[in-house]
Amino acid sequence: MSGGYMSMGEAHRRILEYLNRFSDAVSSQDGKSLSRLLSISSDSHHLLSLADALNTFQDANRLIRQSDEYSQYADILLPVFRAFQSYRLRNLVESYQAFEKAANAFIQEFRNWESAWALEALYVLTFEIRILAERADRELASNGKTPEKLKGAGSLLMKVFSTLAGKGPKRVGALHVTCQLFKIYFKLGTVHLCRSVIRSIETARIFDFEEFPVRDKVTYMYYTGRLEVYNENFPAADQKLSYALTHCDLRKEANLRMILKYLIPVKLSIGILPKALLLENYNLNEYSNIVLALKRGDLRLLRHALLEHEDRFLRSGVYLVLEKLELQVYQRLLKKIHIIQKQKDPSKAHQIKLEIIVKAMKWLEIDMDVDEVECIMSILIYKNLVKGYFAHKSKVVVLSKQDPFPKLNGKPISS
Amino acid sequence: MNQGGTADTLTTVEINSLEKYPVVDPSQAPSTSYYAPSHSAPISWSTHGGNNYPRENGIVSSSSYHQVQQVEIASRTVQDGLNATPAASTLTSGAANPPQDYSSYSTYQNTDPYGYGNTGYATYYNGYQQQASQPYQPPVGAYQNSGAPYQPLSSFQNTGSYAGSASYPSTYYNPADYQTSGGYQSGVYSNHSNYWQEGQYTTYSNHQYPNYPQDSSTLYSSTTSAASSQYAQHYKQWADYYNQTQTEVSCAPGTENVSVSGASSLSCPIPGVTGGYPASNSQAPAPYTPSWRPDSSSSELPMAQPGTANGSVHDGYWMPGPAAVQNQNLNPMQQHVQTPLGTSSTRESFQNQQQSSGPQGHNSTYTASHQVPQSYPSSLQTVSQTAPQLDSRRVSNKLQIPTNPRIASNLGLGLSKVDKDISGSNAASKPAYISVSLTKPNEKVPSEDAAAESILKPGMFPKSLCGYVERALARCKGDAQMAASQAVMKEIITKATADGSLHTKDWDTEPLFALPNADTASREDVLFSTPTSSLPKSRRSPSRRSKSRWEPVSEEKVADKPVAAAAEPVKYGFWNKQFTGGKVENKVVHWSNTKFSLSDQKSSNKNSLRPSKRQRLVDGPSAADNGDASSESDKEQTLTAYYSAAVALADSPEERKRRESRSKRFDKGHGNRQNNHFKQKSAGAGNLYTRRASALVLSKNFVDSGTQAVEDIDWDALVVKGTSQEIEKRYLRLTSAPDPATVRPEETLEKALLMVQNSEKNYLYKCDQLKSIRQDLTVQHIRNELTVKVYETHARLAIEVGDLPEYNQCQSQLKTLYAEGIRGCHLEFASYNLLCIILHSNKNRDLLCAMSRLSAEARKDDAVKHALAVRAAVTSGNYVLFFRLYKTAPNLNTLLMDLYVEKMRYTAVKCLTRSHRPTVPVAYISQVLGFTSTFPTTEASDGKERDGVEECAEWLKAHGASLTEDNSGEMLLDTKLSMSNLFMPEPEDAVSHGDANLAVDDFWARNLESSIK
């Protein structure tokens, strides 16, 4: 308890002060102060002492109902007070429930306001809803109950979205809510729900994407980019994540790192390698061995690096992307053999015997027999990573004399 | 008698008194009709048919209709308050339905039995219902019985005489708890019905009559049976359906056992209800009944609860906004009831086949009724009406499906199956499940209203009069005042009707009578003013239900149809002593003969299309809310407020009250249950009853809440301890509370599992058996190693035959079972899961998810390692590795991989033709692609290898590859030629569901076989 014991009068005073501020903020259309009054999880001194006051002075409802000025917002204020109280008592599930109710009432009210002055407060509301829901779910889970509040928050935000997604000044807030929704869906693992929101953002004519605030655009591009990574649509993922990277505030290193975490695998899979400095600067060392393996054609190193960070890659969802780099490593290895052969005997350099490759694999301590290597070569040729053909009878890869190892140069491996 | 002129007059009395409309009279007539012989009944039916249409119209005609409903609601509330004294309530309600209902009430019950006796149908119904007291009545009784649930419907449909009937049901209900609903329907309907009667009743009547009997009989039979038999015998199956209806009975007594027995013996409450209903139900019932039934069901629900609770509950239900909603909600319940009866299913089947079987008769009736509505619509509000009817039909069909399973278990599965098969057009909707149907009716209602408004003829029910009533009621404060006002208005209207000034009088300027009492007018006002708003709510809940994941009844049942139909009577006989199998059959025959000419499926279909469209339009905004509605009441309130202008109602005091009463009911229900348990220990026979009764109570509660779908029911409260010693048991989807007598205890289930494991029979049989084992485990809440074993066995079997959907069900269950720490072969199934994802769904996200969940220990397991290797091979396209893993797969991994082999081979050959030049030996391909073993070791394998090469060559050719031979005669794949010609041939044995083993032929053969046995 920050204030320790609080007298009844003091509690009464604080509650009235809050109510005053609230109605002032609404009547003067001051979104900023209003948002401060709603940021329950900010743990600000004012709100904490308000919560204490509410717990001391139990009859705050009467205060609200007494005055016309406050009672018109009773639908918002009553549950908000309950949310504060429960929050203070660390009863997060109840706090969330009350806050959700307040949010619903607020949205109702928000719809009636012509201008978008309260957007900021709405942002805070959506943020708080999400945070509270996450915490409430943790509480529920620790009590052995089904965590479902975040899901509920998702549908609430969906409603907020539909409130904003119309013509008028409020529509610039739609992307912010969308981003909050993305966060919820990614957390819940129900990313398929993103699709409908994305569709309405990208196809609705009322939205001019460039009109949205930059921070929302970056967040949006980050999440849609991640979705493209799941779909292994690398060019689109590259475009979206690059957009996010270039527009992201350079001071937000954590955000930059998050973007790079996905952008690097995407770039790698379209044949673009990052500089070592970049990995170092953003503490993305889990990729350094992978980059090295690609440069060296060292399959063993790649596999080792994947194994080492398997959990991390699986969780972030780039594991499968990185695994597919194997083919590029094979290509690199073949190229190396080709170069070595050219140094020895330029006339026969374009013919690589299968057994040489098998030997190279053995040297890398990778156990593969001739059939398997032949299969790999076949796939390399099929995917156009190697130009040439395979002569089965003589077990030789015959490379094209012109550009036998085409570079990807930003194009994905053809399937 | 009733139906004829007498019916009209009588009806006029009752109904008129209520609403002063000619239509009103019909309601009374129904009661008389019941008494009257069956012959008279037909007449009444015809009128009913007319009425039925009217019903629809009534519904459609939103303005008048709504108003009426509102009034009715008000009266209902009054009634609720009066519950203790039904008669009193009727009197008070006077203005609207209540009085009529009540008055008719006592008489009706008596009459009902008679009515039954008259009609041949009686047998049907008798068997089901009444069991003892009114075998003759059966036809009538059946009608009547159905009537109870259907009342609302009947009132709608039977504008004329039926309106009266509708009122009857209400009266019947009233005694129990139905009163309110009854009042509702009858009042509203009666008005409409009157109009209709005037217009077209006569014409329609003929058609309808046949229909009516059929419909009603079907409905009734089911309902009645529910009432009588339910308690004793069918608890489980019928429980859900009947719950509503039955609950009333059981509840009324207070104690389930007592009440049940009393109900059956007395037959008064039940018969009365049924009797009243039959008339109304018979025609329109199918479509309409569902919607109206909800009302009755709601009323029933209260009944189920202790008497004290009733009043409060009713109030809550009837609360202005809520009332409408409740009705809608109730509808689902009612529908259920109908379905249980089997009438719906039977209807469909009958229609299709028009066979001799009783069910068919029902079907035909349905169609008939449907048709009628259509025709009517043209005159009045055809569009809107038809749409509703269609909806209702659909609903009924759908509902039937769910119920059928239950019924099937007890009565005859065949019926339900038949329905499915026969339904044809309906079939699609049937699977949709009850929830869907429910929503539709609700939705329809709104649309109807809109249409009705536009269409409404001024003559029907003067708008000004409605306005007058509304105004009068609006002034009222409190139920008592309402009731008093209604009584006064009833008088006024009756008088106006009598002297013909009903339509000539300027109701707008007519001074309001002096207010009898003074209370808070807010409630009634809200109710009246916002009927529409309430409707949206109800719609929402249904829509949610439609999303329910309940599966359609298993198709396997279809085969049983004929058998079931035959078996039903017999079964009934078992259940109810009173039942007479022979009679039932006769009746059925009658129906089939009379009715079935009217198959207007086409028209009905059209209609059905319309409603759905409308629904969408109407629902648009509200539908989105549905999802949230259930989560929390608070939330629900806010949401509703959002979407509908009527939202205001949600937070109204009435709403709150309603909720309170609802929760009270729950408490009581639980209390009852506990009592029951005690009783069970002491009395063997009593146990079932009590259990069922408690289940009924619970289900009633659910019904009340309306927003709750069946799957939201707290099945935990229904945990049973099985007593069945049958090792073999067919699977039937449970649509009601389980009956311990048909549930097997754990020891028996173990034997059953062993039996399945050692069985030589085909997968379909085993699947069926395993599903029933799973069901028994679930209803008994057995979650242990046996459960895991059963699911594992089923999953393995499913893999063996490639039944992926079933496998997926098992797998998801196993996942949670393993997560609970129950031991089993979880590593084996982790590998299956991985393979399934990679080979079949191939969603990267799922795969990543599954992989990241694997523990370090799991990764060391051979099966899991194998699965992971397969995954790697597939993602990299490494066909050599894939087929090596294929040859060395542990457990059933091979079988899962089997499903991917074709794809893998095809991509491999594509790859080979692209990369290899000039040729590739077929022998090599055969070896690499798993046609022959990779390492032929012995001479004996040479032959096999050659076969493999042959097979490979065949396969290559089938896929468009060009083969050549070299000098030594070795077969080669010409890669350059083949490259552009490769294609994936259509599998020859392709079956739409992907598994030849599950082909329809086999399915039919099996069912025929079993049915012959």
Side-chain angles (χ1 to χ4, degrees), chain B residues 393-512:
Chain B
R393 291 178 185 178
R394 290 180 183 177
V395 175
S396 64
N397 291 334
K398 293 175 182 179
L399 292 173
Q400 291 175 350
I401 297 172
T403 43
N404 290 331
R406 297 180 187 173
I407 297 171
S409 61
N410 293 328
L411 301 171
L413 299 178
L415 290 175
S416 61
K417 294 175 181 179
V418 176
D419 291 341
K420 294 174 181 179
D421 296 344
I422 299 171
S423 62
S425 61
N426 295 335
S429 60
K430 290 178 181 180
Y433 187 43
I434 303 173
S435 60
V436 177
S437 61
L438 291 173
T439 45
K440 288 180 180 180
N442 292 331
E443 293 175 354
K444 292 174 180 180
V445 175
S447 63
E448 291 177 358
D449 292 338
E453 288 181 358
S454 60
I455 305 171
L456 258 182
K457 291 183 180 179
M460 301 267 302
F461 209 47
K463 276 186 184 174
S464 57
L465 175 57
C466 297
Y468 177 78
V469 173
E470 201 173 330
R471 266 181 284 130
L473 290 173
R475 315 177 293 166
C476 299
K477 294 169 187 171
D479 295 341
Q481 210 176 44
M482 281 284 267
S485 301
Q486 284 172 346
V488 176
M489 277 187 286
K490 185 183 158 191
E491 267 178 42
I492 296 174
I493 296 171
T494 326
K495 205 173 144 198
T497 316
D499 61 24
S501 64
L502 180 66
H503 293 278
T504 55
K505 216 170 191 169
D506 184 356
W507 292 103
D508 287 323
T509 58
E510 183 81 2
L512 290 174

Side-chain angles (χ1 to χ4, degrees), chain B residues 639-665:
Chain B
L639 288 175
T640 40
Y642 252 134
Y643 288 96
S644 62
V647 179
L649 291 177
D651 281 315
S652 65
E654 293 86 1
E655 169 77 0
R656 253 170 247 147
K657 215 178 174 186
R658 197 184 101 212
R659 292 217 175 91
E660 278 175 22
S661 61
R662 209 191 282 158
S663 58
K664 269 186 208 160
R665 229 176 296 144

Side-chain angles (χ1 to χ4, degrees), chain A residues 2-110:
Chain A
S2 61
Y5 174 76
M6 193 187 287
S7 75
M8 212 52 155
E10 172 73 2
H12 185 253
R13 194 188 58 75
R14 287 197 183 164
I15 293 167
L16 275 183
E17 187 196 337
Y18 179 90
L19 291 173
N20 260 327
R21 283 217 236 152
F22 185 90
S23 78
D24 283 353
V26 174
S27 58
S28 63
Q29 308 213 326
D30 184 349
K32 200 158 224 127
S33 4
L34 187 57
S35 62
R36 251 181 262 129
L37 294 172
L38 295 172
S39 58
I40 184 169
S41 70
S42 67
D43 289 335
S44 78
H45 174 71
H46 272 297
L47 296 180
L48 288 181
S49 65
L50 171 72
D52 290 338
L54 287 167
N55 283 325
T56 308
F57 185 81
Q58 293 290 347
D59 204 13
N61 293 359
R62 194 172 48 82
L63 288 183
I64 296 172
R65 290 229 166 79
Q66 263 174 357
S67 137
D68 286 346
E69 204 179 326
Y70 309 141
S71 63
Q72 57 178 321
Y73 303 114
D75 284 348
I76 303 173
L77 287 169
L78 288 178
V80 160
F81 277 2
R82 250 183 292 137
F84 279 135
Q85 281 176 281
S86 313
Y87 183 79
R88 191 74 176 119
L89 302 172
R90 296 276 161 236
N91 190 340
L92 292 167
V93 176
E94 258 170 42
S95 180
Y96 169 77
Q97 276 164 346
F99 202 77
E100 191 190 67
K101 206 184 264 181
N104 268 313
F106 185 87
I107 297 163
Q108 190 106 314
E109 211 50 56
F110 181 82

Side-chain angles (χ1 to χ4, degrees), chain A residues 101 104 107-108 111 159 191 230 232 310 320 323 369 371-372 374-375 378-379 382 389-390 392, chain B residues 634-635 639 642 844-845 859 871 875 877-880 884 910-911 914-917 921 924 927:
Chain A
K101 206 184 264 181
N104 268 313
I107 297 163
Q108 190 106 314
R111 280 189 186 166
K159 208 159 73 184
V191 291
Y230 282 134
E232 305 203 347
E310 190 176 17
L320 298 176
E323 197 187 46
D369 67 11
D371 278 349
E372 227 173 310
E374 182 180 333
C375 171
S378 174
I379 293 169
Y382 178 66
Y389 64 87
F390 188 84
H392 180 78
Chain B
D634 293 343
K635 207 174 171 187
L639 288 175
Y642 252 134
N844 284 334
R845 259 200 69 83
R859 284 169 198 277
R871 182 207 60 80
T875 43
N878 191 330
Y879 48 86
V880 172
R884 277 184 193 163
K910 246 175 39 184
C911 188
R914 187 93 168 262
S915 58
H916 287 61
R917 290 290 182 275
Y924 168 78
Q927 175 222 316

Side-chain angles (χ1 to χ4, degrees), chain A residues 162-205:
Chain A
S162 60
T163 310
L164 297 171
K167 281 196 174 150
K170 292 174 190 166
R171 69 175 187 280
V172 292
L175 202 61
H176 185 86
V177 181
T178 305
C179 295
Q180 297 290 334
L181 269 175
F182 282 169
K183 286 176 189 174
I184 289 174
Y185 291 152
F186 271 81
K187 188 138 203 162
L188 287 174
T190 54
V191 291
H192 57 277
L193 295 174
C194 297
R195 216 176 303 152
S196 63
V197 197
I198 293 174
R199 205 181 301 131
S200 56
I201 290 282
E202 290 185 351
T203 62
R205 293 205 190 119

Side-chain angles (χ1 to χ4, degrees), chain B residues 18-265:
Chain B
L18 292 175
E19 302 172 352
K20 300 179 179 179
Y21 296 99
V23 181
V24 179
D25 294 347
S27 64
Q28 293 179 348
S31 60
T32 49
S33 63
Y34 287 96
Y35 297 102
S38 57
H39 296 297
S40 61
I43 303 174
S44 60
W45 290 102
S46 60
T47 48
H48 289 302
N51 293 330
N52 290 335
Y53 298 112
R55 293 177 192 168
E56 295 175 354
N57 294 332
I59 300 174
V60 177
S61 63
S62 55
S63 66
S64 63
Y65 179 61
H66 287 299
Q67 293 176 352
V68 177
Q69 286 180 344
Q70 294 172 353
V71 176
E72 290 177 354
I73 296 168
S75 63
R76 290 180 188 176
T77 51
V78 175
Q79 292 177 351
D80 292 342
L82 297 174
N83 286 336
T85 53
S89 64
T90 48
L91 293 172
T92 52
S93 60
N97 323 321
Q100 298 175 350
D101 294 342
Y102 292 117
S103 62
S104 58
Y105 198 175
S106 57
T107 47
Y108 285 130
Q109 293 176 350
N110 297 327
T111 50
D112 288 347
Y114 296 106
Y116 287 100
N118 293 331
T119 359
Y121 305 96
T123 48
Y124 224 112
Y125 300 102
N126 287 335
Y128 287 80
Q129 284 189 321
Q130 322 236 357
Q131 335 136 356
S133 49
Q134 308 158 354
Y136 293 92
Q137 301 167 356
V140 181
Y143 288 70
Q144 293 176 350
N145 292 333
S146 56
Y150 292 16
Q151 287 181 348
L153 298 176
S154 64
S155 62
F156 287 125
Q157 298 175 347
N158 312 313
T159 32
S161 57
Y162 285 130
S165 61
S167 64
Y168 292 118
S170 63
T171 51
Y172 290 117
Y173 289 101
N174 289 335
D177 283 331
Y178 293 92
Q179 297 174 348
T180 47
S181 61
Y184 257 136
Q185 299 171 349
S186 63
V188 179
Y189 292 113
S190 63
N191 294 329
H192 295 294
S193 61
N194 289 328
Y195 289 112
W196 293 99
Q197 289 179 349
E198 294 174 2
Q200 306 164 343
Y201 284 130
T202 49
T203 47
Y204 291 98
S205 62
N206 296 330
H207 298 291
Q208 291 177 347
Y209 287 147
N211 295 328
Y212 277 118
Q214 296 171 354
D215 291 345
S216 62
S217 63
T218 52
L219 293 171
Y220 290 117
S221 62
S222 54
T223 44
T224 45
S225 60
S228 58
S229 56
Q230 286 177 350
Y231 296 110
Q233 302 166 350
H234 307 289
Y235 275 79
K236 296 176 185 176
Q237 297 177 345
W238 300 99
D240 292 349
Y241 297 138
Y242 295 115
N243 283 338
Q244 302 169 347
T245 39
Q246 293 178 347
T247 37
E248 297 172 340
V249 178
S250 59
C251 292
T255 50
E256 302 85 323
N257 294 332
V258 178
S259 63
V260 175
S261 63
S264 62
S265 63

